Amino acid sequence: MQPETTPFDLMGGEQFFTTLVHRFYQGVAQDPVLMPMYPSSDMEGAERRLTLFLMQYWGGPTTYSDERGHPRLRMRHVEFAVTPDMRDRWLRHMLASLDALGLDEAHDLVLRDYLVRAAHSLVNAPPTRQT
């Protein structure tokens, strides 16, 4: 009996998710609105946690839950005021990272849909006023 092939495997496994998240954080590091949300002393930790989370979500190793428990995505982000602008910036960096990797169309659409829905679900603050 063959083990089930997961989206994690079909997307490219650990290397795909590591590269996706690394490229994402390169964009975040240049973003004056998002960067203050990440402690500079823990950027490597943030990158590792997001990589492990995405790998697990798409059928890879359960290291994220083994180390941190249930993902509880909304609860883990509730301490941050996430505005629609922050959501859009986060998506801009993440989707640019995804675009650069050239994932096949079917998996790209599924992953993109998930990322957009997840980002929208984390908005918990009203838009900031522009002066």
Side-chain angles (χ1 to χ4, degrees):
M1 181 184 263
Q2 291 277 29
E4 181 181 340
T5 302
T6 66
F8 168 81
D9 299 316
L10 296 170
M11 289 178 192
E14 183 175 351
Q15 185 60 52
F16 170 79
F17 288 98
T18 298
T19 303
L20 175 70
V21 173
H22 183 72
R23 286 176 180 260
F24 164 74
Y25 276 107
Q26 286 177 326
V28 167
Q30 304 302 314
D31 192 301
V33 173
L34 292 181
M35 190 56 204
M37 293 179 69
Y38 297 91
S40 59
S41 63
D42 192 34
M43 284 297 286
E44 191 173 297
E47 187 171 327
R48 181 177 184 275
R49 289 186 296 274
L50 180 55
T51 301
L52 292 176
F53 170 78
L54 289 173
M55 288 190 331
Q56 177 175 306
Y57 184 88
W58 292 100
T62 60
T63 309
Y64 183 92
S65 289
D66 295 344
E67 292 180 2
R68 298 182 50 86
H70 190 281
R72 301 178 304 205
L73 194 58
R74 285 183 51 86
M75 189 199 84
R76 291 189 191 276
H77 291 82
V78 74
E79 70 184 82
F80 304 103
V82 180
T83 66
D85 178 55
M86 292 169 147
R87 172 204 61 213
D88 293 346
R89 288 169 177 269
W90 189 95
L91 278 170
R92 188 175 315 122
H93 296 298
M94 184 56 80
L95 297 180
S97 299
L98 181 58
D99 290 343
L101 294 178
L103 192 60
D104 68 87
E105 185 178 3
H107 290 100
D108 181 271
L109 289 171
V110 170
L111 180 53
R112 188 174 302 269
D113 178 66
Y114 168 76
L115 294 167
V116 169
R117 285 184 295 107
H120 279 266
S121 77
L122 295 178
V123 174
N124 62 8
T128 55
R129 288 184 50 149
Q130 302 291 327
T131 56

